[in-house]
Amino acid sequence: MDDLIDLNSADQEAIDSIEDLQGHGPEIVRYRDERGGFTDLRQLEEVPGLTGKVTAAARAKLRIGS
């Protein structure tokens, strides 16, 4: 699991390294910073521009750190 990207600590470049999330790193980091972090990967759907676009393949490369 160490190869998974922690959605609550990753920088925008790390997030953009996930093919299905390329170009959305800045929006994801901004959303995380404004909301105090993610508690569930499904919250990615709430990020502007990502509604209905987050694939299972992208989620499989992410984790929520403690």
Side-chain angles (χ1 to χ4, degrees):
M1 284 198 147
D2 291 305
D3 56 337
L4 297 179
I5 294 174
D6 183 346
L7 195 54
N8 282 329
S9 64
D11 61 19
Q12 67 187 32
E13 290 83 13
I15 295 168
D16 278 341
S17 73
I18 298 172
E19 184 176 342
D20 293 334
L21 298 179
Q22 286 177 343
H24 294 286
E27 292 92 354
I28 293 169
V29 170
R30 186 177 317 114
Y31 181 92
R32 176 186 74 201
D33 291 347
E34 290 173 356
R35 309 282 173 124
F38 291 91
T39 57
D40 191 294
L41 292 177
R42 289 177 289 180
Q43 288 175 301
L44 278 172
E45 295 286 339
E46 298 171 10
V47 176
L50 286 180
T51 303
K53 297 180 181 177
V54 182
T55 64
R59 284 191 189 99
K61 296 176 182 177
L62 298 166
R63 67 180 177 91
I64 303 292
S66 54

